[in-house]
Amino acid sequence: MARRTTSSSTGTSPSPRNRTPQPLPRRRRTFGDFVKALGAFVALLVLLVGVPGALAVSVGWPLPHGAPQMEWLQREISVSTFINVLTVIVWFAWAQFTACVLVEVKAALSGVGMPNRVPGAGASQLLARQLVAALLLVSAAAASFTPGLSQLGQSLEGNQHGSVAAAQQTPGLFGQQQEQAASHAAAAVAEQAADAADAAAHADGAGATEDGDTKYYRIQPPEGRHHDSLWEVAQRHLGDGRRYKEIYQLNKDRTQPDGSKLSEASLIRPGWILEMPGDAHGGELVEMPDATPEVSQQVQQQIHDYAKTGDQQRGGSANRQNEQGDRDTAHIHVPQQRPAGEHAAGGEERREPAPAEAAQASQGSEGSGFTFGLPEALVGAPLLAAGLLGALGRRRRQALWQSALGAVGGRRGMEPPVPTGSAADAQDALLVGADPEGVRLLDLSLRGLATALAAESRPLPTVYAAWLGGNGDLHLQLAQPAGKPPTPWQLGQDQTFWMLARADAEQYEEVDTAAPYPGLVSLGTMDDSRLLLNLEAVPGIVSLSGSAADRAGVFASVAAELATNGWSDRMTITLVGFGEDLTPLAPNRLRHLDDVEALVETMEAETRQRRGALGAAGHDSVLTGRTGPAQHTRWAPHLVLLATEPSAEDAVTLAELAADAGRLGIGYLVGTESGDLPGAAWEMEITSEGKLLAPLLGLELDAQLLPVAQQRAVVELFVEADPERDPDGPTTTPPFLVDISEQGRPAVYARLVGSYEIIGLETPDGERSPLLHEALALLLLHREGVHPRVLSAALWPRGVTDDVRDALVERLRDWLGADPDGTARLGTDEAGRLTLAKTVVSDLDVLRSLYHEATQGKGVNSRVVRGRLLTDALVLVRGPLLADRPQGRYGWLTHEIIDAQLPLLVADIGLALSAFHLEKDRAEKAIEALNASMNSAPRDERLWNELLRATHATGDTDRLKGLAADLVTRSGARGLPPRTEALLDELLPAWRTDGAAVG
């Protein structure tokens, strides 16, 4: 018989292996276990025998002795009647508890399947399970039973570690009790992941195997409460329990003597026949046809019949693999893409290669990872870049508001710092690579799916991975088939794929539901598809091997995307062994721990708490807890990223904690030097060439990395945007000041505040005019310069070729023309960025310059000049920025903070002009200036407060009451800000009770 091995026959180093949790030390029974068992026995005796005995002796028969009569309803309720009613209730509770005990005892002794649920028995069955398990704790069956006890809180917490370890030592029982509770998802991957690696070798050698040299094993009946398992069979006869997968592969889906089939490695029955590998040894084996005399004729006939199924099964398996393409859920398959012809083509110059494709195509000869001055690690990571860019924008807006409200002294009106050097390159790379529309559609699609399933009263399926195709379609790979997906989702290439076309995703609207799969994170690309692995759903630890530097790039990328992604509501990311400097990316999500000891202590407590919470809520897993009334208050994921390899003892502890992690919403990604980590369900390797390998999962990805240099540059962007950093350092001077005198009249003047108008240029040719106007607007808002790739990414978000981009730049240069001295108005600086000449000016530039000159220039020493400059500035405000921009264009404005800057600037001008008028007691002029500013900044609390003060200065109480009522109405359900309430208490004490004020 051909001998089967699990290692590669080549001379290369072994590839990462994907294994179920490796055997952990078997826990010995202690004196405390016997004490618990005795206590459980006494408690069961009291509850099952003592309670009914006490009721029979003290109360007797509680029900009436005759037929019910109408006059009973008119009788007075006596003490005895009340006691009898309570007695009946207690009898019902006793009967229900007794049924729970019988169900739990049957499940514990049989060792097959999960206990049946007694209707309405929640707490009673939980107590029965605890007592029965404690009673059986001194037996071998307790190892398989204790995973269910993890939900019971702290009473047996001291035994949890040993229980999980024992469960992993006997994977058959562990699979029956725990992995079935997780809808067989863990078993599908953890027990079949290694099969594909040696399936071909087995198929080749199987044809040479004949009955004459084939060995068989017959599953033995249980001894006491100990049941045989594939792990123990492999341990006894192959010398390594981990080789149980070879036995499983030889026998899966073959008809057994009782008519059933082996479909899961954790489910075997006494009397079944198992074909064994050729190197199996031991006295319990049977070799055909020379069976030992101890084997009966009936058993010999069963083995003979079973041997025939092997030949048929091997042929059938080969045929099925040819027909179905090996759709084993132990693999993460690349989804089949729809033909390109099914998608509508884009415009003349739009919808060319996607940003990631363009990045790869242009990488060219530079081996440093930089092309045209930009780091490709960020350009080629669209979801990561979009998350970082969105988080950076929120941070900068927060800094602006805190500065405006005086939260940080000396920074009012401050412009965000303009990044330079590597930080500027990183920002440009984020702008080029970001795909905010892809993030938005992914978020809408996942939440829409959760809403649709909830409407059909269907649970969320366990999702191992999501694939984003190059055509924009979304494919979810399920742990197991979950039926027909809700509309507009469709079945993909097989029953384990649900697919949503991009066009259908665009029809989704925002819904108020919890994010169903917040643990999805990008790992890389394969065959034009981007893989997002659901770390939260992996049945155990995901290990990552490779050099420390290569692993660091993967860990940093995963941490940064999890901390800033747009498809998660709440989560905690715990970083151990790296990432202390990453916390500025998301201080509310990222947490850094110093060592593994602190991690173990933290996760033991959280695992205990989550088990108890799930049990108390009656949920099987966090997926069932993410729908319904409780979805916004619990079940947030916790993802642990441990970059350094733990010690052997810590690895065992983490394996125990991770055994039930997928059900609890906890994921573990652990780095290892050796690639051999206890409890690792999935194993991956990062190579020095940037490949992420998981051969037994069927993956070979171009890894998504965040190298150290880019990591530092990105963090610098966030640190510079911190509103509390170095308050005395930055200045409030705008990045570009214009000459506001008559001599400084510009050659080209663009009005951006309000309707978009250009003065000084001829209107370009019709169809290209919108594109040129949009390009000019982008350059006017970034006087520091715009990288050509940033410009092309803004105008063509889904990618464009270099020749189209260069043609646009040349047309823009020709349109802008040159100054009288011959200097082109569109130039290029030393870094290759496109810049505008000083003779090309926007009204936003003039607005900033007027305010700066009034408050920090000539207006400081001249009241007349200050008033004129502030008035001129307020006149320039004609509405919101680019008020009439066409729909579908200017999407890059979502990356900008100008929408927050402009209202604050207008409010600052209005406040300054109001103060100017109030100095001379011109309250009406002050009110006029404030009202003009509120048209652009209606939510600015500072304007509200100054308007109240100016109105109070008029002495018109009725007018003040009307204004107070208007402010209350504007504030809506949130109510007035505290500072405004305090001011009203001072200026209008009766505003809370006055009808006009609340009115």
Side-chain angles (χ1 to χ4, degrees), residues 198-255:
D198 51 7
H202 171 65
D204 294 339
T209 303
E210 300 178 355
D211 287 350
D213 58 357
T214 304
K215 301 176 182 178
Y216 294 90
Y217 175 80
R218 190 167 185 266
I219 303 298
Q220 301 301 312
E223 298 179 3
R225 286 188 293 271
H226 174 74
H227 295 254
D228 213 347
S229 69
L230 290 185
W231 184 286
E232 293 179 336
V233 172
Q235 187 70 42
R236 290 195 303 269
H237 300 293
L238 299 176
D240 186 354
R242 290 172 293 184
R243 293 184 62 187
Y244 80 94
K245 289 171 285 191
E246 299 179 39
I247 306 175
Y248 171 75
Q249 184 65 26
L250 282 170
N251 296 275
K252 70 174 181 177
D253 296 330
R254 294 170 63 176
T255 303

Side-chain angles (χ1 to χ4, degrees), residues 142-166:
S144 66
F145 196 65
T146 46
L149 294 176
S150 59
Q151 301 176 357
L152 297 177
Q154 302 179 5
S155 59
L156 292 179
E157 189 61 31
N159 298 327
Q160 287 181 0
H161 288 191
S163 301
V164 177

Side-chain angles (χ1 to χ4, degrees), residues 808-874:
L808 171 75
V809 172
E810 288 305 315
R811 279 195 292 270
L812 182 61
R813 182 174 283 114
D814 293 340
W815 179 44
L816 291 175
D819 288 330
D821 61 359
T823 304
R825 292 176 181 146
L826 179 62
T828 305
D829 65 10
E830 295 179 354
R833 291 178 172 83
L834 301 173
T835 59
L836 292 174
K838 292 183 178 181
T839 54
V840 181
V841 174
S842 72
D843 55 354
L844 186 58
D845 297 326
V846 176
L847 189 67
R848 288 167 168 162
S849 300
L850 287 171
Y851 177 67
H852 175 76
E853 193 67 26
T855 56
Q856 300 182 44
K858 297 177 181 179
V860 174
N861 299 319
S862 174
R863 171 181 169 80
V864 175
V865 172
R866 182 167 73 254
R868 177 175 56 82
L869 292 174
L870 291 173
T871 302
D872 291 344
L874 202 55

